[in-house]
Amino acid sequence: RGCDKGRCLDRAAMIATRVLLLVLLALVSGASAFAPARAGMYTAGARSSAVSMKFSSVKTGVTVKVIAGDDKGKVGKVLSVDRSDTKKKTKTNFGPFVVVEGMNMITKHIKPRARGETGKRIQKEARIHISNVVAVVSDAAPIAASE
């Protein structure tokens, strides 16, 4: 294998030759061998920083209005902001989240841990994607999301 009319190259030599040809081709074309193919190519870091900049007016303690979802139109105070752009369970890019007081309530079922203890159901706020809220100065005038 790898022999053609008496010219035999081992596998490492063939790989080294291909890499050298690719680097030479990149240098001749003027492109960097280590740069992305297109200048406008998005990376996960670039996207998340762009989303964070767009919604920088939404911070902990700010009053926001929910503009999408079951709680659309309701106003509440931001309890926490999660700037990470991944879902916890699936590890997929999804975007920054906020927790708003009294919005997106879920029921968490708690199993009994000790002998004689009974289970509980706790009502708590779940995360909302930051694009579904907008900061408000007063109840009547929402701030534009681009600020």
Side-chain angles (χ1 to χ4, degrees):
R1 285 183 83 172
C3 292
D4 184 29
K5 293 185 182 178
R7 292 178 287 161
C8 293
L9 293 174
D10 63 334
R11 187 170 177 84
M14 288 189 336
I15 292 172
T17 305
R18 287 182 182 169
V19 169
L20 181 63
L21 287 173
L22 287 174
V23 170
L24 286 174
L25 181 64
L27 290 175
V28 170
S29 67
S32 171
F34 304 107
R38 289 179 280 146
M41 192 178 282
Y42 282 108
T43 60
R47 184 189 175 282
S48 65
S49 64
V51 170
S52 296
M53 289 297 290
K54 184 174 180 183
F55 300 105
S56 61
S57 61
V58 179
K59 296 178 173 66
T60 303
V62 172
T63 303
V64 294
K65 181 178 183 180
V66 179
I67 59 173
D70 293 338
D71 297 318
K72 182 176 179 177
K74 295 182 183 175
V75 178
K77 190 170 98 175
V78 175
L79 299 176
S80 68
V81 178
D82 181 12
R83 297 271 180 206
S84 68
D85 61 346
T86 55
K87 277 187 174 179
K88 303 263 191 265
K89 287 184 180 179
T90 59
K91 304 279 192 255
T92 56
N93 288 341
F94 197 63
F97 297 93
V98 294
V99 176
V100 183
E101 185 178 20
M103 305 294 161
N104 200 20
M105 298 299 287
I106 61 167
T107 303
K108 185 174 174 82
H109 297 265
I110 308 292
K111 285 186 176 182
R113 296 288 178 190
R115 186 178 296 255
E117 185 179 317
T118 59
K120 303 181 241 187
R121 288 186 303 209
I122 298 174
Q123 291 282 98
K124 61 184 263 184
E125 295 92 356
R127 305 182 311 167
I128 302 173
H129 194 270
I130 201 164
S131 66
N132 294 333
V133 298
V134 62
V136 293
V137 176
S138 65
D139 292 338
I143 299 174
S146 61
E147 291 180 347

